């Protein structure tokens, strides 16, 4: 079996994701899809709309065969660390391909830029530093540094978010492994678009926005997601009485910031350059997460970066912890699989480079940070549901039998 | 002017408190009443029903002339530290008397026991340690140790809570000061009684219990509190839409315990002997503060002790911080005064042994812990009220003109 790896968040799974799977299979001729999916908190420093179990079911029902969890220390991170974790897991699971969506749509420019970058890595790094010092946010500084070292050779448009992320995937692939990168063109005009039209393909951002604007009415997004997503969203809302966004966590974040000393906050991952004092001042008077964010925002920090800082504070992650845990992935935690996926795991698992975790209760210590993320993600729910979710962490993965549709 | 010092919590001010003032004035012939009152968190490790400003008003309207705040590091503490802080403040404010309610009712037995204890302090201390090691709670160990060293001479019944506290007051009075202790007999049968009858005098515990059981109906307690208390309670409920109890803080405490590592919890004041792991286990599955407390309770720890531990966790107070801040009171923070009280302050303040704080904005650093306590006490309220209360911290004390009844 040829296996295709994909890196996903599915927040929630929508028609564009189905298109990505379908086109990636076409492009690679693979027989099986392995997704590495962020757990309960996402790259932009946000809580997932619905938890990882609901999103695993959406994935398995819509064409994915195996879902591994991208651990928290990689999931809520800047592009290079996120990519290192995701590619590391797909490599360890012995995927033949990794296929990502990009604005570019062709793999050659990525390979050319990677080769070019490996030659002038030192120059590029010092240039990023310079632009950062000049007050640019990290993504902007990276893009400017690239333009500078590339001296206007227009190999790849690195102002586009999925091109940036794609380049990080290609760079994360190690010479010693044989995973083959490929890309398909994204068919959305604008990744960050928040306006949801009638087009069957829309960004997850616009779908979430619509859900919250329309009093969590799942009907309002049913044209943009497959019926399996509709079913899971309905089930989630019925069981947990909530979709998650930052506002639900604001009382906890506010309390954490107010009750921590400046020096305690300064020890948190990504809290840098006096940010702790800005955060403390803003937390005292903000009436909501949105108000808080607006009050700490400056040109120097992107919204995403500040959300990640907030998340690290909420999760109480120290600089030391995160540095140690984000070096390399240390395990393959199985969230779910179809029959075909289980067959693959059975055949291949002896060759995996990392321990495959299917019985989480035997790996409590290794999984500590992900379990904490699940418990914190569940804190806005009622006590009975919190207990359900805590127990769920130690139960077997989601096994879906496609034949039976269970 | 002869001044009478009293140590109070007024949670809320009730008829028994009015009786205490009246009888203490009779017993001492004093002209003026100075109360040192706990701020927003109380000796038994609980949030005050209403905040310190509302309770200051109750006090001033019911016969107290000056209210000083007992700072957090003394207020939520075991009897000896609580007494050290309270007596230290009354001494610094140059009170002539301190008069406390006790089951005993006569001061001589307290003075005899104090003299006796000072002779066998070492024996007593090592006996307390022994009983503690044997698994007794601190109050029980103290009482047993006393019985042992006193060899059954029945000077004072130290199984009674107000006798214990009274003895601590007497012991806290330093030879170098001239404050004179006296006591009046409490007229309640049982301090901890939670049943509220029709008798005009009832314990604060039973009054709070009734309030919460009767959906915060202030009518249900109007026979046991003066009309000024009724007015303040109504005003508070109208403004803040809540009376405070531990359940309101449970989501914050649960989050704090879950998100802290065991070693972080072990650094918190009064977290001892593996309590951090019991707390972590219980916090994960408890559905309420009550359920949490019931699940951590053992014979070794009193409910009060465990509430104080929980409060230190909520307030993020480290062992080092609390040890440093509870040595001696460092300031006299004025919460409020009547005209007569202001006259006394004007006459006496130059002789005060500690700085008198009437403009808190100039003492932000000194008051840091009390300001934090106020902000945390206010966290269950809506954002507008949180802002009000944060600002209130930096505004002038409550000045009440009795003539005008303002």
């Amino acid at each position: 079996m040829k296996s295709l790896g994909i890196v996903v968040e599915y927040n929630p799974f929508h028609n564009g994701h189905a298109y990505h799977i379908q086109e990636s299979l076409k492009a690679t001729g693979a027989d099986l899809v392995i997704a590495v999916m962020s757990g309960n908190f996402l790259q932009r420093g946000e809580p997932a709309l619905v938890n990882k179990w609901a999103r695993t079911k959406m994935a398995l029902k819509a064409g994915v065969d195996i879902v591994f969890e991208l651990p928290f220390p990689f999931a809520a991170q800047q592009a290079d660390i996120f990519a290192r974790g995701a590619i590391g897991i797909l490599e360890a699971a012995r995927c033949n391909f990794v296929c990502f969506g990009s604005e570019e749509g062709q793999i050659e420019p990525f390979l050319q830029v990677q080769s070019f970058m490996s030659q002038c890595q030192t120059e590029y790094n010092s240039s990023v530093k310079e632009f950062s010092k000049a007050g640019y946010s990290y993504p902007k500084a990276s893009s400017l540094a690239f333009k500078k070292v590339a001296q206007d050779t227009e190999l790849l448009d690195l102002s586009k978010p999925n091109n940036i992320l794609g380049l990080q995937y290609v760079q994360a692939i190690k010479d010693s492994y044989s995973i083959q990168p490929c890309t398909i063109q994204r068919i959305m005009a604008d990744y960050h678009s928040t306006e949801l039209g009638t087009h069957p393909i829309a960004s997850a951002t616009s779908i979430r926005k619509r859900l919250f604007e329309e009093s969590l009415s799942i009907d309002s997004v049913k044209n943009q997601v497959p019926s399996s997503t509709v079913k899971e969203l309905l089930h989630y809302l019925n069981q947990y009485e909530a979709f998650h966004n930052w506002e639900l966590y604001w009382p906890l974040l506010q309390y954490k910031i107010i009750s921590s000393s400046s020096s305690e906050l300064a020890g948190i991952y990504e809290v840098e350059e006096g940010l702790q004092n800005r955060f403390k001042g803003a937390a005292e008077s903000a009436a909501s997460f949105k108000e808080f964010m607006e009050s700490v925002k400056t040109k120097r920090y992107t919204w995403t970066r500040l959300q990640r800082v907030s998340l690290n504070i909420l999760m109480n992650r120290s600089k030391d912890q995160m540095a140690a845990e984000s070096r390399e992935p240390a395990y393959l935690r199985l969230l779910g699989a179809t029959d075909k996926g289980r067959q693959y795991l059975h055949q291949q698992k002896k060759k995996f480079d990392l321990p495959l975790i299917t019985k989480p209760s035997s790996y409590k210590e290794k999984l500590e940070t992900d379990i904490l993320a699940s418990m914190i993600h569940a804190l806005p729910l009622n006590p009975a549901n919190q207990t359900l979710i805590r127990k769920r962490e130690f139960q077997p993965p989601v096994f879906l039998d496609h034949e039976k549709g269970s």
Side-chain angles (χ1 to χ4, degrees), chain A residues 14 23 29 70-71 96 103 123 152 201-202 219 250 265 289 292 328 331 374 384 401-402:
Chain A
H14 57 58
E23 292 302 305
L70 182 63
N96 300 102
E103 292 83 1
E123 196 190 337
D152 297 323
I201 294 201
D219 244 22
W250 169 240
L265 287 182
F289 182 70
F292 168 73
E328 298 288 337
Y331 52 85
S374 293
D401 184 344
H402 260 126

Side-chain angles (χ1 to χ4, degrees), chain A residues 44 190-197 203 205-207 209-210 213:
Chain A
R44 290 167 74 187
D190 183 1
Y191 174 78
H192 285 297
S193 168
T194 55
E195 287 315 312
L196 192 65
S203 72
T205 307
S206 62
I207 292 170
K209 183 165 179 271
R210 170 71 66 95
E213 279 172 0

Side-chain angles (χ1 to χ4, degrees), chain A residues 55 57 94 110 116 124 148 162 171 302 334 338 349 353:
Chain A
R55 285 157 43 241
K57 281 184 205 153
R94 307 193 76 81
F110 289 95
F116 173 79
Y124 169 78
K148 193 178 162 193
N162 289 283
Q171 290 185 311
T302 61
L334 186 66
T338 59
K349 66 183 175 192
D353 296 309

Side-chain angles (χ1 to χ4, degrees), chain A residues 72 74 85 91 125 142 198 242 297-298 350 363 388 392:
Chain A
F72 179 89
F74 300 98
E91 284 176 332
N125 286 346
S142 306
T198 53
K297 182 83 185 75
T298 62
K350 284 193 182 144
Y363 292 87
L388 268 186
R392 184 66 190 88

Side-chain angles (χ1 to χ4, degrees), chain A residues 145-196:
Chain A
F146 178 74
K147 270 195 188 146
K148 193 178 162 193
V149 301
Q151 284 165 342
D152 297 323
T153 54
E154 300 219 348
L155 292 168
L156 187 61
D157 182 355
L158 284 176
S159 71
K160 301 282 186 226
N162 289 283
N163 287 348
I164 296 175
L165 202 52
L167 182 60
Q168 296 291 354
Y169 295 146
V170 172
Q171 290 185 311
I173 293 174
K174 292 192 207 101
D175 298 334
S176 53
Y177 289 93
S178 58
I179 196 167
Q180 190 185 323
C182 67
T183 186
I184 59 156
Q185 188 150 30
R186 288 174 64 91
I187 51 174
M188 269 180 291
D190 183 1
Y191 174 78
H192 285 297
S193 168
T194 55
E195 287 315 312
L196 192 65

Side-chain angles (χ1 to χ4, degrees), chain A residues 220-253:
Chain A
S220 69
V221 301
K222 68 166 194 269
N223 290 335
Q224 283 80 23
V225 303
S227 61
S228 47
T229 292
V230 168
K231 197 180 152 194
E232 286 306 321
L233 289 176
L234 282 170
H235 179 72
Y236 198 90
L237 202 55
N238 188 38
Q239 171 72 44
Y240 299 114
E241 299 167 342
F243 291 145
H244 303 250
N245 68 9
W246 251 117
E247 293 303 342
L248 295 186
Y249 302 86
W250 169 240
L252 303 181
L253 180 67

